[in-house]
């Protein structure tokens, strides 16, 4: 392995020139900073530069704005970044604009996805009870009877025979698969705790339909309408996102690259030490 000679350079200057110097060092691509305080035996008159990097927040804003999308911010070449004609104030203003625009679309998209999952789950649940000829609104108005919708393992369904002496332990199945029956049981309020306990011991899994109205059939139809509306909404938001990205991609990449560059250069400052105004 060949030995590569390196040079140690000590830079001393005015504090006002520090940003320009660190930028030149960074752009040289052959510079590795060392802590200036490690080169002095007496550092009592020196103070380290423990400053917060002002480019951290806008960089994080850009990253957060696109974190949930498949869009990637890529670093451009120095020549491309040099073509960016914005003042620091304009750059920070642009970051706020683009971050809020993307974040707003992503929040709406997340809301649409959440509702799609909600309606899909509700359709799956209520579909098990289609054909029971029950009105969910009327059930909720019952003052003396409690109604429980849910599923029961087929093995447990067979065990219900052992409770035939109890007139309230009756399960009315509506649909089934290889392992479960879905259906409903009813109980007077004064014995509902005991009936619930028995069905719980039989591994009954309750499905709550508190947000649904009408019959199971009409509830499924209504949920499908809501689901389709949210699917259309999601497609529309995806279209808006793509249009915004297509329009702003070039400027966004340049701003991201410039901020990353400045973030790195500012990070070099922490290797310097301050002595008065030098």
């Amino acid at each position: 392995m060949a030995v590569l000679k390196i040079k140690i350079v000590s830079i001393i200057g005015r504090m006002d020139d520090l940003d320009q110097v660190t930028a030149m060092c960074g752009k040289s691509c052959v510079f590795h900073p060392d802590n200036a305080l490690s080169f002095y035996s007496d550092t009592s008159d020196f103070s380290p530069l423990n400053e917060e990097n002002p480019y951290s927040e806008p960089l994080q804003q850009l990253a957060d704005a696109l974190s949930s999308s498949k869009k990637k911010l890529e670093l451009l070449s120095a020549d491309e970044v040099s073509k960016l004609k914005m003042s620091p104030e304009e750059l920070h203003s642009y970051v706020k604009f683009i971050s809020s625009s993307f974040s707003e679309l992503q929040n709406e998209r997340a809301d649409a996805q959440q509702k799609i999952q909600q309606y899909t789950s509700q359709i799956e649940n209520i579909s098990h009870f289609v054909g029971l000829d029950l009105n969910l609104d009327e059930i909720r108005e019952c003052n003396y009877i409690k109604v429980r919708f849910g599923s029961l393992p087929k093995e447990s369904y067979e065990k219900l025979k052992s409770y035939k002496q109890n007139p309230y332990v009756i399960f009315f199945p509506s649909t089934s698969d290889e392992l479960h029956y879905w259906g409903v049981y009813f109980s007077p309020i004064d014995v509902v705790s005991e009936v619930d306990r028995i069905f719980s011991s039989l591994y009954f899994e309750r499905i709550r339909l508190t947000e649904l109205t009408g019959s199971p059939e009409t509830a499924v139809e209504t949920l499908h309408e809501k689901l389709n509306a949210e699917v259309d909404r999601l497609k529309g938001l995806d279209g808006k996102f793509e249009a915004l990205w297509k329009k702003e991609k070039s400027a966004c990449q340049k701003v991201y690259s410039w901020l990353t560059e400045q973030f790195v250069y500012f990070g070099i400052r922490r290797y310097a030490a301050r002595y008065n105004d030098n």
Side-chain angles (χ1 to χ4, degrees):
M1 189 178 201
V3 177
L4 180 66
K5 291 185 178 181
I6 62 173
K7 295 181 179 180
I8 297 179
V9 178
S10 176
I11 302 175
I12 300 175
R14 307 292 295 179
M15 282 297 299
D16 293 342
D17 297 325
L18 183 56
D19 284 337
Q20 184 180 356
V21 171
T22 54
M24 292 176 64
C25 290
K27 289 177 181 179
S28 72
C29 297
V30 294
F31 175 79
H32 177 79
D34 279 319
N35 195 320
L37 293 176
S38 63
F39 292 91
Y40 294 90
S41 56
D42 182 7
T43 59
S44 57
D45 293 328
F46 291 83
S47 58
L49 299 181
N50 296 321
E51 305 161 309
E52 183 176 351
N53 196 315
Y55 303 100
S56 297
E57 184 177 351
L59 270 176
Q60 191 62 50
Q61 282 182 316
L62 277 180
D64 290 344
L66 293 169
S67 61
S68 299
S69 73
K70 296 181 180 179
K71 309 304 179 186
K72 296 184 68 175
L73 291 168
E74 298 177 353
L75 294 175
L76 303 178
S77 66
D79 289 339
E80 291 178 283
V81 177
S82 65
K83 298 175 184 177
L84 184 65
K85 304 300 180 183
M86 286 186 184
S87 66
E89 293 76 17
E90 290 173 328
L91 283 161
H92 285 278
S93 177
Y94 178 80
V95 169
K96 289 182 179 180
F97 156 72
I98 204 68
S99 297
S100 62
S101 299
F102 280 124
S103 295
E104 183 177 342
L105 285 173
Q106 287 185 351
N107 289 337
E108 287 191 54
R109 193 176 188 280
D111 180 66
Q113 287 179 316
Q114 187 271 328
K115 288 182 177 177
I116 288 173
Q117 292 176 351
Q118 174 187 335
Y119 295 145
T120 300
S121 176
Q122 288 179 334
I123 289 172
E124 182 181 357
N125 287 336
I126 193 66
S127 294
H128 292 300
F129 309 105
V130 169
L132 278 176
D133 192 24
L134 295 173
N135 187 299
L136 300 175
D137 299 308
E138 293 177 354
I139 287 174
R140 277 190 282 272
E141 292 176 359
C142 292
N143 294 321
Y144 305 105
I145 296 175
K146 289 295 183 180
V147 183
R148 305 290 195 239
F149 293 91
S151 65
L152 195 66
K154 286 192 171 182
E155 292 181 1
S156 297
Y157 183 73
E158 296 300 323
K159 294 178 181 178
L160 285 174
K161 297 175 182 178
S162 61
Y163 293 93
K164 59 183 179 180
Q165 75 280 5
N166 189 330
Y168 305 120
V169 183
I170 303 176
F171 184 73
F172 298 91
S174 55
T175 59
S176 64
D177 61 15
E178 295 180 356
L179 300 175
H180 294 86
Y181 284 109
W182 279 266
V184 60
Y185 69 84
F186 304 84
S187 172
I189 285 182
D190 55 350
V191 295
V192 69
S193 296
E194 175 64 16
V195 175
D196 283 344
R197 185 191 64 77
I198 293 172
F199 274 95
S200 177
S201 68
L202 294 172
Y203 304 103
F204 176 82
E205 292 187 16
R206 186 177 176 185
I207 297 176
R208 299 181 183 275
L209 308 176
T210 54
E211 298 179 3
L212 304 179
T213 60
S215 67
E217 288 83 0
T218 57
V220 168
E221 184 178 344
T222 300
L223 287 169
H224 272 296
E225 292 175 357
K226 292 182 177 180
L227 175 63
N228 292 335
E230 290 302 324
V231 169
D232 290 340
R233 177 189 171 202
L234 184 61
K235 290 178 180 178
L237 290 169
D238 286 342
K240 289 181 180 180
F241 191 95
E242 289 297 328
L244 180 60
W245 176 248
K246 183 178 180 180
K247 179 183 177 182
E248 301 293 340
K249 179 180 178 180
S250 178
C252 197
Q253 298 279 42
K254 288 179 182 177
V255 169
Y256 173 72
S257 300
W258 184 86
L259 287 171
T260 302
E261 189 178 73
Q262 299 306 312
F263 175 85
V264 173
Y265 297 160
F266 193 90
I268 298 175
R269 292 171 62 99
R270 72 177 186 272
Y271 294 95
R274 181 168 187 157
Y275 181 86
N276 295 324
D277 290 329
N278 302 315

